[in-house]
Amino acid sequence: MAVRNLKFGSIALALAISPLCTVAQAQDATENYTVIIGGTRVGHLDVVRSGDTVKIDYDYKNNGRGPTMKEELKLDAQGMPVSWKITGNSTFGNAINESFSMQRGTARWTDSTGSGTAKPKGQAIYVAQEASPWAAGLYARALLADDDRSIPALPGGALTLGELEKVQVSGTAGAMTVTAYALSGNDLDPGYFLLDDTGTLFAAISPRAVFVRKGFESEDIKLRDLAVKYSTERFVKMQAKAANSYKVPVRITNVRLFDPVAMALTEPKSVVVRGRHIAAVLPVNSPATEGEVTIDGNGGTLVPGLYEMHGHIGQEDAMLNILAGITSVRDMGNEIDVLDGLVERIESGVLAGPRITKSGFIEGKSPFSSNNGKLVNSQQEALDAARFYAARDYQAIKIYNSMNPDWIPALVKEAKALGLHVMGHVPAFTNADAMIAAGYDEMTHINQVMLGWVLEPGEDTRTLLRLTALKRLPGLDLNSGRVNATIRAMVDNKVTIDPTFAIHESLLLARNGKINPGMVDYVDHMPIGVQRSSKQAWSNIASAADDKAYSGAFDQVAATIRKMHEAGIFLIPGTDMGGSFTYHRELELYQKAGMTPAQILRRASYDMAQYLKQDQSLGSIEKGKYADFFLIQGDPTKDLKAIKAIRMVAKDGVFYYPSEVYPEFGIKPFATKPKVKMPKEG
């Protein structure tokens, strides 16, 4: 499913600037841009300016989905919007009908959260939910004209623009010098983009994708590398400030440990860390030795580091996962060079991030391909891809939607001969039963299994149908022969499943104007952009019948996951949504499957270490194992929500205090830092 709704960071913005801003109105012109993801051209953005009117056509499709939008703006004499209309559909199909106007000093807007008004005193920037990256040129000019390059934002917060560097670019359209900028304040991370010397947008960039002026597509790799560079510089500074690599033993006193084998808390203990490892687990009253750092656990609980088992990890996810107690991530498919660079930076200590277990992504080439990992045109190319990954320390392969089903048996056989774990989606025009028979070790996403029970022959799941067809689930009898046959085959063949419970909750239950149920516990701590997105539907809920069908579909998903658990099928917790706060919700949802909080914590830590054959060094808090754990104040075996308020995290013996780091992301902390006593200097 791979949720990466590419809005290029925080760059989709509209403006409500006071008449004091002296920006010349643009002349009649056209601008044309290309969207490139994973090196493949997947869409366009075309801009036509005529007088005071700007019309925009924006569309890209990757992995069988993407936004289709049109925008129309009216500009004032200073070139600033007095009206803005955005219509179309979002990546997963939600209808977009957003509007903004500025009249007589009053700003009015309507988006998925509802309607609002404001009378800004002086300059103010309205942050649109769905504007295309082209808006960057407008707000950048406004911010550049401001003395401190920071302007209050609507509905809240403020935006800040930082200049990064001059960059030389060239292409079939010629050569030029452009300037790179970072915009921050609306979201968890800055958006990066480049302007030409007229202040017109040249490109919006991310490590995975670029939106670039037509004629300069050949600069794709260079621009993506720039995005990696800017992101790395930010997180290197954050790591230098946040990471506490104590050069002496660290004693965490007065804590109870979650014992995943016993699925219970121990008596109060002291835990001593030396370097990367746990040096000792001692009685609570054990005396400290000379020269130690002491962290007061205050009667709280130490929990082993958690495993996010469905990540597509990038630098923007890495630190946030650590702060959420996720010290290990199984990456389920990524750009090979991007992932290798990230692993190297984490392992060297330059960046904070979890331990990464790599899975090789293998996708067939088609108009619906996910441009990621290895794309193949034949069975032989698929076999070669498996060999490529096996030779580069990958632990598994993940098969994707556009693979030819006829190639799967040979690919599975080769992968297993190479010692690779085999998992994946169900390719189009086949079903889960066939993949189980072909030898899958693990099914990915619960919908991939359930679609085989409701689709008609010939229906194409490379499109959004693999999501919208879930509306048919309320009419499915979960005790029918076809359902029971699939579950029995999974049990008989010891096939596990990574259901990605939380993403299905968002897909099926998110509604415009209402807080996504998975975000209720933390959304008030988030930046304004995240707060607004929490009230945004994913699917196109066009009627009361749609609302009922999608809600009923989630009930069927939950019931199926419970049925699988009760049948003995091994459930693997992962989000496909970046982990972090969503991973806490993923674990919480497993209670709907009939698992207790203690069982869930064991599954997320010790069981996953065993599953990945890492339990000799990870998965529990024991002498000799890596110091990967986190501190909370409550008892998570009684209330799983206690893991959402983390006071301290250790990963590889490096200590982080979330309350010190979250403000860097615009997040209000959830818990206080424990008392830390440094050793007396001699």
Side-chain angles (χ1 to χ4, degrees):
M1 197 171 288
V3 177
R4 284 185 176 182
N5 188 9
L6 296 174
K7 296 174 80 170
F8 299 93
S10 305
I11 65 175
L13 306 175
L15 297 180
I17 307 298
S18 76
L20 297 176
C21 183
T22 57
V23 179
Q25 184 161 343
Q27 301 299 312
D28 292 1
T30 61
E31 300 171 39
N32 302 103
Y33 300 87
T34 301
V35 182
I36 307 174
I37 298 177
T40 301
R41 302 181 190 190
V42 297
H44 68 271
L45 188 148
D46 297 324
V47 182
V48 178
R49 306 186 196 181
S50 179
D52 64 355
T53 301
V54 179
K55 294 185 177 181
I56 298 173
D57 185 309
Y58 183 40
D59 187 294
Y60 74 78
K61 295 292 177 287
N62 179 58
N63 194 9
R65 59 183 182 237
T68 299
M69 295 164 36
K70 292 187 183 297
E71 304 173 63
E72 183 168 342
L73 301 84
K74 294 287 186 180
L75 307 179
D76 65 15
Q78 288 74 41
M80 294 297 106
V82 294
S83 70
W84 195 317
K85 182 72 173 176
I86 309 169
T87 57
N89 294 96
S90 67
T91 294
F92 287 94
N94 185 32
I96 298 169
N97 190 13
E98 184 173 1
S99 62
F100 164 78
S101 67
M102 187 72 173
Q103 294 180 330
R104 298 178 182 178
T106 299
R108 293 181 172 84
W109 62 88
T110 298
D111 59 21
S112 72
T113 71
S115 298
T117 63
K119 290 188 176 183
K121 297 179 180 179
Q123 295 181 323
I125 298 180
Y126 169 70
V127 182
Q129 278 190 316
E130 297 293 348
S132 69
W134 183 84
L138 288 175
Y139 64 75
R141 286 193 293 270
L143 287 161
L144 287 168
D146 185 76
D147 289 341
D148 63 358
R149 296 188 180 182
S150 181
I151 297 176
L154 301 173
L159 294 180
T160 300
L161 188 70
E163 184 172 328
L164 300 174
E165 64 176 329
K166 302 289 185 183
V167 179
Q168 302 295 320
V169 294
S170 62
T172 59
M176 68 174 77
T177 301
V178 293
T179 306
Y181 296 93
L183 180 87
S184 57
N186 177 61
D187 215 330
L188 295 169
D189 299 296
Y192 300 110
F193 58 91
L194 301 97
L195 305 180
D196 66 17
D197 58 5
T198 71
T200 303
L201 183 68
F202 171 76
I205 61 177
S206 77
R208 187 164 186 259
V210 302
F211 161 100
V212 65
R213 188 174 298 176
K214 208 161 193 178
F216 292 89
E217 291 89 349
S218 60
E219 295 284 27
D220 169 44
I221 294 175
K222 178 178 181 177
L223 293 172
R224 281 192 281 158
D225 286 346
L226 284 176
V228 171
K229 172 187 171 184
Y230 302 146
S231 173
T232 300
E233 289 171 350
R234 174 175 182 245
F235 285 107
V236 166
K237 291 177 182 176
M238 199 179 296
Q239 169 76 339
K241 181 179 177 181
N244 295 276
S245 299
Y246 302 115
K247 304 303 181 184
V248 297
V250 180
R251 183 178 296 259
I252 304 104
T253 63
N254 191 20
V255 287
R256 302 172 75 188
L257 316 183
F258 173 69
D259 179 345
V261 176
M263 290 189 291
L265 300 190
T266 67
E267 293 299 314
K269 302 281 187 181
S270 288
V271 175
V272 180
V273 173
R274 173 62 173 167
R276 303 173 64 193
H277 295 89
I278 298 168
V281 177
L282 303 168
V284 67
N285 294 322
S286 298
T289 64
E290 183 180 353
E292 293 180 352
V293 170
T294 302
I295 298 175
D296 183 3
N298 194 36
T301 303
L302 277 190
V303 182
L306 305 175
Y307 278 77
E308 155 66 291
M309 294 292 283
H310 197 126
H312 297 274
I313 193 163
Q315 288 187 159
E316 289 72 18
D317 306 327
M319 173 69 89
L320 286 171
N321 273 282
I322 289 295
L323 301 179
I326 299 163
T327 56
S328 296
V329 167
R330 181 177 66 170
D331 187 272
M332 295 288 278
N334 223 313
E335 281 74 30
I336 296 164
D337 55 343
V338 171
L339 184 62
D340 286 347
L342 178 59
V343 170
E344 180 181 350
R345 290 189 289 276
I346 291 172
E347 290 183 348
S348 69
V350 172
L351 295 182
R355 303 173 190 279
I356 297 174
T357 299
K358 299 188 295 185
S359 307
F361 191 92
I362 307 179
E363 165 73 311
K365 288 185 180 179
S366 82
F368 306 98
S369 297
S370 178
N371 294 285
N372 191 10
K374 288 285 188 181
L375 272 68
V376 299
N377 264 323
S378 66
Q379 177 175 298
Q380 185 58 51
E381 288 185 7
L383 300 181
D384 289 342
R387 294 168 185 143
F388 175 92
Y389 288 126
R392 287 162 177 80
D393 197 32
Y394 283 71
Q395 304 304 303
I397 60 165
K398 179 185 175 185
I399 297 166
Y400 212 64
N401 298 320
S402 291
M403 285 286 289
N404 186 328
D406 293 340
W407 305 342
I408 303 300
L411 176 57
V412 171
K413 181 179 179 181
E414 179 66 16
K416 291 191 173 183
L418 294 165
L420 295 169
H421 182 79
V422 178
M423 57 193 170
H425 286 209
V426 174
F429 313 116
T430 185
N431 56 41
D433 294 349
M435 296 303 97
I436 295 164
Y440 268 34
D441 296 305
E442 179 183 330
M443 303 302 302
T444 302
H445 301 301
I446 188 64
N447 68 310
Q448 295 288 313
V449 175
M450 298 183 75
L451 286 171
W453 305 331
V454 296
L455 289 178
E456 298 297 328
E459 289 191 295
D460 192 347
T461 54
R462 296 174 299 177
T463 69
L464 277 178
L465 181 70
R466 67 180 182 270
L467 309 178
T468 59
L470 297 180
K471 289 197 297 184
R472 306 174 192 177
L473 291 181
L476 175 67
D477 178 4
L478 294 182
N479 291 314
S480 65
R482 65 170 63 179
V483 173
N484 286 331
T486 301
I487 290 177
R488 185 166 55 252
M490 291 180 71
V491 172
D492 291 346
N493 291 278
K494 296 182 174 57
V495 177
T496 61
I497 185 166
D498 159 27
T500 59
F501 213 151
I503 199 174
H504 288 85
E505 179 182 53
S506 290
L507 175 74
L508 299 171
L509 297 187
R511 299 290 184 270
N512 288 338
K514 298 180 180 179
I515 296 176
N516 183 320
M519 301 176 72
V520 169
D521 288 345
Y522 68 84
V523 69
D524 288 347
H525 291 252
M526 296 293 111
I528 186 67
V530 179
Q531 292 188 32
R532 293 172 77 194
S533 68
S534 76
K535 297 181 180 180
Q536 193 169 22
W538 287 27
S539 304
N540 185 14
I541 313 296
S543 65
D546 285 339
D547 178 74
K548 182 178 180 181
Y550 278 111
S551 296
F554 181 72
D555 292 340
Q556 290 284 71
V557 164
T560 299
I561 294 173
R562 185 178 187 115
K563 183 180 178 78
M564 288 179 168
H565 173 63
E566 291 174 346
I569 295 171
F570 193 72
L571 307 179
I572 296 168
T575 69
D576 199 16
M577 293 176 70
S580 189
F581 308 109
T582 306
Y583 186 78
H584 296 161
R585 178 59 174 176
E586 177 82 13
L587 298 185
E588 193 174 13
L589 287 171
Y590 276 68
Q591 293 172 108
K592 290 181 176 290
M595 297 176 72
T596 67
Q599 289 173 330
I600 293 166
L601 285 177
R602 172 181 170 132
R603 182 60 50 88
S605 56
Y606 187 75
D607 286 351
M608 291 303 94
Q610 281 193 318
Y611 191 72
L612 296 178
K613 299 179 175 61
Q614 298 173 359
D615 53 303
Q616 293 302 306
S617 56
L618 294 165
S620 58
I621 303 171
E622 299 179 66
K623 177 181 172 63
K625 289 193 172 185
Y626 288 119
D628 286 20
F629 49 73
F630 60 95
L631 173 67
I632 57 176
Q633 200 58 44
D635 180 351
T637 66
K638 295 179 179 177
D639 180 9
L640 196 57
K641 288 181 184 289
I643 67 171
K644 299 183 179 186
I646 296 175
R647 305 185 68 197
M648 176 271 288
V649 180
K651 186 263 177 171
D652 220 22
V654 179
F655 289 77
Y656 301 86
Y657 305 104
S659 62
E660 295 182 341
V661 190
Y662 276 140
E664 299 282 345
F665 294 94
I667 299 172
K668 183 173 68 177
F670 300 86
T672 58
K673 174 183 176 181
K675 292 181 181 179
V676 180
K677 183 179 179 182
M678 301 300 293
K680 294 180 180 179
E681 295 184 6

